[in-house]
Amino acid sequence: MPVPKTRKSKSKRDMRRANHDKLPVPTIIACANCGEPSQPHRVCPSCGFYKGREVIAPKAVAEETAE
Ligand SMILES: [Zn+2]
């Protein structure tokens, strides 16, 4: 079984950990329907559109219909 020959310095250990546990920053694009920022391959959070059709009711309209 491979065993490290020498101990790595605190600096090298911390440099390795510095970038490996970070969450990736999500890609943001402008929605094709409303132009609001949204993630690609996701339903737009502001207008509820995906692939040119309404998939979910947008937040503001959903609140209005509930009343
Ligand atoms: Zn949108």
Side-chain angles (χ1 to χ4, degrees), residues 3-42:
V3 175
K5 203 167 265 182
T6 53
R7 190 189 172 110
K8 266 190 180 168
S9 68
K10 289 173 191 171
S11 169
K12 284 289 171 193
R13 179 201 65 198
D14 293 347
M15 276 197 277
R16 182 184 68 236
R17 290 179 185 174
N19 288 302
H20 284 226
D21 303 334
K22 281 180 185 169
L23 281 172
V25 179
T27 311
I28 301 294
I29 55 150
C31 171
N33 183 58
C34 68
E36 287 291 309
S38 79
Q39 280 187 67
H41 311 114
R42 303 285 193 282

Side-chain angles (χ1 to χ4, degrees), residues 57-67:
K59 231 180 182 183
V61 177
E63 281 164 10
E64 281 167 26
T65 51
E67 283 166 16

